[in-house]
Amino acid sequence: MLIQFSVRNYKTFLEKATLSLVASNYDKETRESENISNDNEFNLRLTKSAVIYGANASGKSKFIEALRFMIKF
């Protein structure tokens, strides 16, 4: 299970970029069952999905490449 992924010094990423799947408390009561998974072992609320968005040429594809590299490594 992926909780957090960070990349730095990979292709276009000089500075650290992080994707965290830890859920915030925003909108906790109304959308709890839709996209939140509770991990009782570590007492974490995790999102089931995430979206990466940004302007053209902002590094979205390179971030996914870094994630794929980590999976293969």
Side-chain angles (χ1 to χ4, degrees):
M1 175 186 315
L2 181 67
I3 296 174
Q4 182 173 319
F5 176 71
S6 296
V7 61
R8 179 179 60 193
N9 200 25
Y10 179 80
K11 295 193 177 184
T12 59
F13 290 99
L14 181 61
E15 300 296 321
K16 184 177 178 181
T18 302
L19 172 69
S20 176
L21 297 176
V22 177
S24 68
N25 289 328
Y26 178 77
D27 225 6
K28 183 178 178 179
E29 293 80 23
T30 58
R31 298 181 188 264
E32 183 69 29
S33 63
E34 292 178 17
N35 194 35
I36 303 295
S37 173
N38 290 313
D39 184 353
N40 296 327
E41 183 178 351
F42 296 106
N43 197 24
L44 291 172
R45 295 174 55 247
L46 303 172
T47 59
K48 295 178 183 177
S49 61
V51 176
I52 299 174
Y53 63 93
N56 290 345
S58 64
K60 299 177 298 289
S61 297
K62 298 300 178 190
F63 190 84
I64 299 299
E65 285 180 22
L67 183 60
R68 286 183 182 154
F69 175 79
M70 187 271 309
I71 291 169
K72 286 184 181 181
F73 188 73

Coordinates of all heavy atoms in Angstrom, one line a residue:
M1 N 0.9 -1.2 0.0 CA 0.0 0.0 0.0 C 0.9 1.2 0.0 O 1.8 1.4 0.8 CB -0.9 0.0 1.2 CG -1.7 1.2 1.4 SD -2.7 1.4 2.9 CE -3.4 -0.2 3.1
L2 N 0.6 2.1 -0.9 CA 1.4 3.4 -1.0 C 0.8 4.4 -0.1 O -0.4 4.7 -0.1 CB 1.4 3.9 -2.4 CG 2.1 5.2 -2.7 CD1 3.6 5.0 -2.5 CD2 1.9 5.7 -4.1
I3 N 1.6 5.0 0.8 CA 1.1 6.0 1.7 C 1.7 7.4 1.3 O 1.0 8.4 1.3 CB 1.5 5.7 3.2 CG1 0.8 4.5 3.6 CG2 1.2 6.9 4.1 CD1 1.3 4.0 5.0
Q4 N 3.0 7.4 0.9 CA 3.6 8.7 0.5 C 4.7 8.3 -0.5 O 5.4 7.4 -0.3 CB 4.1 9.4 1.7 CG 4.7 10.7 1.4 CD 5.1 11.5 2.6 OE1 4.3 11.5 3.6 NE2 6.3 12.1 2.6
F5 N 4.9 9.2 -1.5 CA 5.9 9.0 -2.4 C 6.6 10.3 -2.7 O 5.9 11.3 -3.0 CB 5.4 8.4 -3.8 CG 6.5 8.3 -4.8 CD1 7.5 7.4 -4.7 CD2 6.5 9.2 -5.9 CE1 8.5 7.3 -5.7 CE2 7.5 9.1 -6.9 CZ 8.5 8.1 -6.8
S6 N 7.9 10.4 -2.6 CA 8.7 11.6 -2.8 C 9.7 11.4 -3.9 O 10.3 10.3 -3.9 CB 9.3 12.1 -1.5 OG 8.4 12.5 -0.6
V7 N 10.0 12.4 -4.7 CA 11.0 12.3 -5.7 C 11.9 13.6 -5.7 O 11.3 14.7 -5.4 CB 10.4 12.0 -7.1 CG1 9.5 13.1 -7.5 CG2 11.5 11.8 -8.1
R8 N 13.2 13.4 -5.8 CA 14.1 14.6 -5.9 C 15.3 14.2 -6.7 O 15.7 13.0 -6.7 CB 14.5 15.0 -4.5 CG 15.5 16.1 -4.5 CD 15.9 16.5 -3.1 NE 16.6 15.3 -2.5 CZ 16.8 15.2 -1.2 NH1 16.5 16.2 -0.4 NH2 17.4 14.2 -0.8
N9 N 15.8 15.1 -7.5 CA 16.9 14.9 -8.4 C 16.7 13.7 -9.4 O 17.6 12.9 -9.6 CB 18.2 14.6 -7.5 CG 19.5 14.9 -8.2 OD1 19.5 15.6 -9.2 ND2 20.5 14.2 -7.8
Y10 N 15.6 13.7 -10.0 CA 15.2 12.7 -11.0 C 14.7 13.4 -12.2 O 13.7 14.1 -12.1 CB 14.2 11.7 -10.5 CG 13.8 10.7 -11.5 CD1 14.6 9.6 -11.7 CD2 12.6 10.8 -12.2 CE1 14.2 8.6 -12.6 CE2 12.2 9.9 -13.2 CZ 13.0 8.8 -13.4 OH 12.7 7.8 -14.3
K11 N 15.4 13.4 -13.3 CA 15.0 14.0 -14.6 C 14.8 15.5 -14.3 O 15.7 16.3 -14.1 CB 13.9 13.3 -15.3 CG 14.3 11.9 -15.7 CD 13.3 11.3 -16.6 CE 13.8 10.0 -17.1 NZ 12.9 9.4 -18.1
T12 N 13.5 15.9 -14.4 CA 13.2 17.4 -14.2 C 13.0 17.8 -12.8 O 12.8 19.0 -12.5 CB 12.0 17.7 -15.0 OG1 10.9 17.0 -14.5 CG2 12.2 17.5 -16.5
F13 N 13.1 16.9 -11.8 CA 12.8 17.3 -10.4 C 14.1 17.5 -9.7 O 14.8 16.6 -9.3 CB 12.1 16.1 -9.7 CG 10.7 16.0 -10.2 CD1 10.3 15.0 -11.1 CD2 9.7 16.8 -9.7 CE1 9.0 14.9 -11.5 CE2 8.4 16.7 -10.1 CZ 8.0 15.8 -11.0
L14 N 14.5 18.8 -9.6 CA 15.6 19.1 -8.8 C 15.2 19.2 -7.3 O 15.9 18.7 -6.4 CB 16.2 20.5 -9.2 CG 17.4 21.0 -8.5 CD1 18.6 20.0 -8.6 CD2 17.9 22.3 -9.0
E15 N 14.1 19.9 -7.0 CA 13.6 20.0 -5.7 C 12.7 18.8 -5.4 O 12.2 18.1 -6.3 CB 12.8 21.3 -5.5 CG 13.6 22.6 -5.8 CD 14.7 22.7 -4.8 OE1 14.5 22.4 -3.6 OE2 15.8 23.2 -5.2
K16 N 12.4 18.6 -4.1 CA 11.6 17.5 -3.7 C 10.1 17.7 -4.0 O 9.6 18.8 -3.8 CB 11.7 17.3 -2.2 CG 11.0 16.1 -1.6 CD 11.3 16.0 -0.1 CE 10.6 14.9 0.5 NZ 10.8 14.8 2.0
A17 N 9.5 16.7 -4.6 CA 8.0 16.7 -4.9 C 7.4 15.5 -4.2 O 8.0 14.4 -4.2 CB 7.8 16.6 -6.4
T18 N 6.3 15.7 -3.5 CA 5.7 14.6 -2.7 C 4.2 14.4 -3.0 O 3.5 15.4 -3.2 CB 5.8 14.9 -1.2 OG1 7.2 15.1 -0.9 CG2 5.3 13.8 -0.3
L19 N 3.8 13.1 -3.1 CA 2.4 12.7 -3.2 C 2.1 12.0 -2.0 O 2.7 11.0 -1.7 CB 2.2 11.8 -4.5 CG 0.8 11.2 -4.6 CD1 -0.2 12.3 -4.9 CD2 0.9 10.2 -5.7
S20 N 1.2 12.5 -1.2 CA 0.7 11.9 0.1 C -0.7 11.5 -0.1 O -1.6 12.2 -0.5 CB 0.9 12.9 1.2 OG 0.4 12.3 2.4
L21 N -1.0 10.2 0.3 CA -2.3 9.7 0.3 C -3.0 9.7 1.7 O -4.0 9.0 1.9 CB -2.3 8.3 -0.3 CG -1.9 8.2 -1.8 CD1 -1.8 6.8 -2.2 CD2 -2.8 9.0 -2.7
V22 N -2.4 10.4 2.6 CA -3.0 10.5 3.9 C -4.1 11.5 3.8 O -4.0 12.6 3.3 CB -2.0 11.0 5.0 CG1 -2.6 11.2 6.3 CG2 -0.9 10.0 5.1
A23 N -5.3 11.1 4.3 CA -6.5 12.0 4.1 C -6.5 13.1 5.2 O -6.1 12.9 6.3 CB -7.7 11.1 4.3
S24 N -7.0 14.3 4.8 CA -7.1 15.4 5.7 C -8.5 15.2 6.4 O -9.3 14.4 6.1 CB -7.0 16.7 5.0 OG -8.1 16.9 4.2
N25 N -8.7 16.1 7.3 CA -10.0 16.1 8.0 C -11.1 17.0 7.3 O -12.2 17.1 7.8 CB -9.9 16.6 9.5 CG -9.1 15.5 10.3 OD1 -9.3 14.3 10.1 ND2 -8.4 16.0 11.3
Y26 N -10.7 17.5 6.2 CA -11.6 18.4 5.4 C -12.8 17.5 4.9 O -12.5 16.4 4.3 CB -10.9 19.0 4.3 CG -11.8 19.8 3.4 CD1 -12.3 21.1 3.8 CD2 -12.2 19.4 2.1 CE1 -13.1 21.8 3.0 CE2 -13.1 20.1 1.3 CZ -13.5 21.4 1.8 OH -14.3 22.1 1.0
D27 N -14.0 17.9 5.1 CA -15.2 17.2 4.6 C -15.3 15.7 5.2 O -15.7 14.8 4.5 CB -15.1 17.1 3.1 CG -16.5 17.4 2.5 OD1 -17.4 17.8 3.2 OD2 -16.6 17.3 1.2
K28 N -14.8 15.5 6.4 CA -14.7 14.2 7.0 C -16.1 13.5 7.1 O -16.3 12.4 6.8 CB -14.0 14.3 8.3 CG -13.9 13.0 9.0 CD -13.1 13.1 10.3 CE -13.0 11.8 11.0 NZ -12.3 11.8 12.3
E29 N -17.1 14.3 7.6 CA -18.4 13.7 7.8 C -19.2 13.3 6.6 O -19.9 12.3 6.6 CB -19.3 14.6 8.7 CG -18.7 14.9 10.1 CD -17.6 15.9 10.2 OE1 -17.5 16.7 9.2 OE2 -16.8 15.8 11.1
T30 N -19.0 14.1 5.5 CA -19.9 13.9 4.4 C -19.3 12.9 3.3 O -20.1 12.3 2.6 CB -20.2 15.2 3.6 OG1 -18.9 15.8 3.2 CG2 -20.9 16.2 4.5
R31 N -18.0 12.7 3.3 CA -17.5 11.9 2.2 C -16.6 10.7 2.8 O -15.8 10.2 2.1 CB -16.7 12.7 1.3 CG -17.5 13.7 0.5 CD -16.6 14.5 -0.4 NE -17.3 15.6 -1.0 CZ -17.9 15.6 -2.1 NH1 -17.9 14.5 -2.9 NH2 -18.6 16.7 -2.6
E32 N -16.8 10.4 4.0 CA -15.9 9.4 4.7 C -15.9 8.1 3.9 O -14.9 7.5 3.7 CB -16.4 9.2 6.1 CG -15.5 8.3 6.9 CD -14.1 8.8 7.2 OE1 -13.9 10.0 7.2 OE2 -13.2 8.0 7.3
S33 N -17.1 7.6 3.6 CA -17.1 6.2 3.0 C -16.8 6.2 1.5 O -16.6 5.1 1.0 CB -18.5 5.6 3.2 OG -19.5 6.4 2.6
E34 N -16.8 7.3 0.8 CA -16.6 7.3 -0.6 C -15.2 7.0 -1.0 O -14.9 6.2 -1.9 CB -17.1 8.6 -1.2 CG -18.5 8.8 -1.2 CD -18.9 10.2 -1.7 OE1 -18.1 10.8 -2.4 OE2 -20.0 10.6 -1.5
N35 N -14.2 7.7 -0.4 CA -12.9 7.6 -0.9 C -11.8 7.4 0.2 O -10.7 7.6 0.0 CB -12.5 8.9 -1.7 CG -11.3 8.7 -2.5 OD1 -11.0 7.7 -3.1 ND2 -10.5 9.8 -2.6
I36 N -12.2 7.0 1.4 CA -11.3 6.9 2.5 C -11.3 5.5 3.0 O -12.3 4.8 3.1 CB -11.8 7.8 3.7 CG1 -11.9 9.2 3.3 CG2 -10.9 7.6 4.9 CD1 -10.6 9.9 2.9
S37 N -10.0 5.0 3.2 CA -9.8 3.7 3.8 C -9.1 3.9 5.1 O -8.2 4.6 5.2 CB -8.9 2.9 2.8 OG -8.5 1.7 3.4
N38 N -9.6 3.2 6.2 CA -9.0 3.3 7.5 C -8.0 2.2 7.7 O -8.3 1.0 7.5 CB -10.1 3.2 8.6 CG -10.9 4.5 8.6 OD1 -10.4 5.6 8.6 ND2 -12.2 4.3 8.6
D39 N -6.8 2.5 8.1 CA -5.7 1.6 8.4 C -5.6 1.5 9.9 O -5.1 2.4 10.6 CB -4.4 2.0 7.8 CG -3.3 0.9 8.0 OD1 -3.6 0.0 8.8 OD2 -2.2 1.1 7.5
N40 N -6.2 0.5 10.5 CA -6.3 0.4 12.0 C -4.9 0.1 12.6 O -4.7 0.4 13.8 CB -7.3 -0.6 12.4 CG -8.7 -0.1 12.0 OD1 -9.0 1.1 12.0 ND2 -9.6 -1.1 11.7
E41 N -4.1 -0.6 11.9 CA -2.8 -1.0 12.4 C -1.9 0.3 12.7 O -1.3 0.3 13.8 CB -2.1 -1.9 11.4 CG -0.7 -2.4 11.9 CD -0.1 -3.3 10.9 OE1 -0.7 -3.7 9.9 OE2 1.1 -3.6 11.2
F42 N -1.9 1.3 11.8 CA -1.1 2.5 12.0 C -2.0 3.7 12.4 O -1.5 4.8 12.5 CB -0.3 2.7 10.8 CG 0.7 1.7 10.5 CD1 0.5 0.8 9.4 CD2 1.8 1.5 11.3 CE1 1.4 -0.2 9.2 CE2 2.7 0.5 11.0 CZ 2.5 -0.3 10.0
N43 N -3.3 3.5 12.5 CA -4.2 4.6 12.8 C -4.2 5.7 11.8 O -4.0 6.9 12.2 CB -4.0 5.1 14.3 CG -5.1 5.9 14.8 OD1 -6.3 5.7 14.3 ND2 -4.9 6.7 15.7
L44 N -4.3 5.3 10.5 CA -4.2 6.3 9.5 C -5.5 6.3 8.7 O -6.1 5.2 8.5 CB -3.1 6.0 8.5 CG -1.7 6.3 9.0 CD1 -0.7 5.7 8.0 CD2 -1.4 7.7 9.3
R45 N -5.9 7.4 8.1 CA -7.0 7.5 7.2 C -6.3 7.8 5.8 O -5.7 8.8 5.6 CB -8.0 8.6 7.6 CG -8.7 8.4 8.9 CD -9.5 9.5 9.3 NE -10.4 10.0 8.3 CZ -10.4 11.1 7.7 NH1 -9.5 12.0 7.9 NH2 -11.3 11.5 6.8
L46 N -6.5 6.9 4.9 CA -5.9 7.0 3.6 C -6.9 7.1 2.5 O -8.0 6.5 2.5 CB -5.0 5.7 3.3 CG -3.9 5.5 4.3 CD1 -3.3 4.1 4.1 CD2 -2.9 6.6 4.4
T47 N -6.6 7.9 1.4 CA -7.4 8.0 0.3 C -7.3 6.8 -0.6 O -6.2 6.3 -0.7 CB -7.2 9.3 -0.5 OG1 -5.8 9.3 -0.9 CG2 -7.4 10.5 0.3
K48 N -8.3 6.4 -1.3 CA -8.3 5.3 -2.2 C -7.7 5.7 -3.6 O -7.3 4.8 -4.3 CB -9.7 4.7 -2.3 CG -10.2 4.1 -1.1 CD -11.6 3.5 -1.3 CE -12.2 3.0 0.0 NZ -13.6 2.5 -0.2
S49 N -7.8 7.0 -3.9 CA -7.4 7.5 -5.2 C -6.8 8.9 -5.0 O -7.0 9.5 -4.0 CB -8.5 7.5 -6.2 OG -9.5 8.3 -5.7
A50 N -6.1 9.3 -6.0 CA -5.5 10.7 -6.1 C -5.5 11.1 -7.5 O -5.5 10.3 -8.4 CB -4.2 10.7 -5.4
V51 N -5.4 12.4 -7.7 CA -5.3 13.1 -9.0 C -4.0 13.9 -9.0 O -3.8 14.7 -8.1 CB -6.5 13.9 -9.3 CG1 -6.4 14.6 -10.6 CG2 -7.8 13.1 -9.2
I52 N -3.3 13.8 -10.1 CA -2.1 14.7 -10.3 C -2.5 15.7 -11.4 O -2.8 15.2 -12.5 CB -0.9 13.9 -10.7 CG1 -0.5 13.0 -9.5 CG2 0.3 14.9 -11.0 CD1 0.6 12.1 -9.8
Y53 N -2.5 16.9 -11.2 CA -2.9 17.9 -12.2 C -1.9 19.1 -12.2 O -1.3 19.3 -11.2 CB -4.3 18.4 -12.0 CG -4.6 19.1 -10.8 CD1 -4.5 20.5 -10.7 CD2 -5.0 18.4 -9.6 CE1 -4.8 21.2 -9.5 CE2 -5.2 19.1 -8.4 CZ -5.1 20.5 -8.4 OH -5.3 21.1 -7.2
G54 N -1.9 19.8 -13.3 CA -1.0 21.0 -13.4 C -1.0 21.4 -14.8 O -1.6 20.9 -15.7
A55 N -0.2 22.5 -15.0 CA -0.1 23.1 -16.3 C 0.7 22.2 -17.3 O 1.4 21.2 -16.8 CB 0.6 24.4 -16.2
N56 N 0.6 22.5 -18.6 CA 1.5 21.7 -19.5 C 2.9 21.9 -19.2 O 3.4 23.0 -18.8 CB 1.2 22.3 -20.9 CG -0.2 21.9 -21.4 OD1 -0.9 21.1 -20.9 ND2 -0.6 22.6 -22.5
A57 N 3.7 20.9 -19.4 CA 5.1 20.8 -19.1 C 5.5 21.1 -17.7 O 6.5 21.7 -17.4 CB 5.9 21.8 -20.0
S58 N 4.6 20.7 -16.7 CA 4.9 21.0 -15.3 C 5.5 19.8 -14.6 O 5.8 19.9 -13.4 CB 3.6 21.5 -14.6 OG 2.7 20.4 -14.6
G59 N 5.6 18.6 -15.3 CA 6.3 17.5 -14.7 C 5.4 16.3 -14.3 O 5.8 15.4 -13.6
K60 N 4.1 16.3 -14.7 CA 3.2 15.3 -14.3 C 3.7 13.9 -14.8 O 3.7 12.9 -14.1 CB 1.8 15.6 -14.8 CG 1.2 16.9 -14.3 CD -0.2 17.2 -14.9 CE -0.2 17.4 -16.3 NZ 0.4 18.6 -16.8
S61 N 4.0 13.9 -16.1 CA 4.5 12.6 -16.7 C 5.8 12.1 -16.1 O 6.0 10.9 -15.9 CB 4.6 12.8 -18.2 OG 3.4 13.1 -18.8
K62 N 6.7 13.0 -15.8 CA 8.0 12.7 -15.2 C 7.8 12.2 -13.8 O 8.5 11.3 -13.3 CB 8.9 13.9 -15.2 CG 9.3 14.3 -16.6 CD 9.9 13.3 -17.4 CE 10.2 13.8 -18.8 NZ 10.6 12.7 -19.7
F63 N 6.8 12.7 -13.1 CA 6.5 12.2 -11.7 C 6.0 10.7 -11.8 O 6.4 9.9 -11.0 CB 5.4 13.1 -11.1 CG 5.2 12.8 -9.6 CD1 6.1 13.3 -8.7 CD2 4.2 11.9 -9.2 CE1 5.9 13.1 -7.3 CE2 4.1 11.7 -7.8 CZ 4.9 12.2 -6.9
I64 N 5.1 10.4 -12.8 CA 4.7 9.1 -13.0 C 5.8 8.2 -13.4 O 5.9 7.0 -12.9 CB 3.5 9.0 -14.0 CG1 2.3 9.9 -13.5 CG2 3.1 7.6 -14.3 CD1 1.7 9.4 -12.2
E65 N 6.7 8.7 -14.2 CA 7.9 7.9 -14.6 C 8.8 7.6 -13.4 O 9.3 6.5 -13.3 CB 8.7 8.6 -15.6 CG 8.2 8.6 -17.0 CD 9.1 9.4 -18.0 OE1 10.3 9.6 -17.7 OE2 8.5 9.8 -19.0
A66 N 8.9 8.5 -12.5 CA 9.7 8.3 -11.3 C 9.0 7.2 -10.4 O 9.7 6.4 -9.8 CB 9.8 9.6 -10.5
L67 N 7.7 7.3 -10.3 CA 6.9 6.3 -9.6 C 7.1 4.9 -10.2 O 7.3 3.9 -9.5 CB 5.5 6.7 -9.5 CG 4.5 5.8 -8.7 CD1 5.0 5.7 -7.2 CD2 3.1 6.3 -8.8
R68 N 7.0 4.8 -11.5 CA 7.3 3.5 -12.2 C 8.7 3.0 -12.0 O 8.9 1.8 -11.8 CB 7.0 3.7 -13.7 CG 5.5 3.8 -14.0 CD 5.3 3.8 -15.5 NE 3.9 4.0 -15.8 CZ 3.4 4.6 -16.9 NH1 4.3 5.0 -17.8 NH2 2.1 4.6 -17.1
F69 N 9.7 3.9 -12.0 CA 11.0 3.5 -11.7 C 11.2 2.9 -10.3 O 11.8 1.9 -10.1 CB 12.0 4.7 -11.9 CG 13.4 4.4 -11.5 CD1 14.2 3.8 -12.4 CD2 13.9 4.8 -10.3 CE1 15.5 3.5 -12.1 CE2 15.2 4.5 -10.0 CZ 16.0 3.8 -10.9
M70 N 10.6 3.6 -9.4 CA 10.6 3.1 -8.0 C 10.0 1.7 -7.9 O 10.5 0.8 -7.2 CB 9.9 4.0 -7.1 CG 10.0 3.7 -5.6 SD 8.8 2.6 -4.8 CE 7.3 3.4 -5.3
I71 N 8.9 1.5 -8.6 CA 8.2 0.2 -8.5 C 9.1 -0.9 -9.1 O 9.2 -2.0 -8.6 CB 6.9 0.2 -9.3 CG1 5.9 1.1 -8.5 CG2 6.3 -1.2 -9.5 CD1 4.6 1.5 -9.2
K72 N 9.8 -0.6 -10.3 CA 10.7 -1.6 -10.9 C 11.9 -1.8 -10.1 O 12.5 -2.9 -10.1 CB 11.0 -1.1 -12.3 CG 9.9 -1.3 -13.3 CD 10.3 -0.9 -14.7 CE 9.2 -1.0 -15.6 NZ 9.6 -0.7 -17.0
F73 N 12.4 -0.8 -9.5 CA 13.7 -0.9 -8.7 C 13.5 -1.8 -7.5 O 14.3 -2.6 -7.1 CB 14.1 0.5 -8.2 CG 15.5 0.5 -7.6 CD1 16.6 0.3 -8.4 CD2 15.6 0.7 -6.3 CE1 17.9 0.4 -7.8 CE2 16.9 0.7 -5.7 CZ 18.0 0.5 -6.5

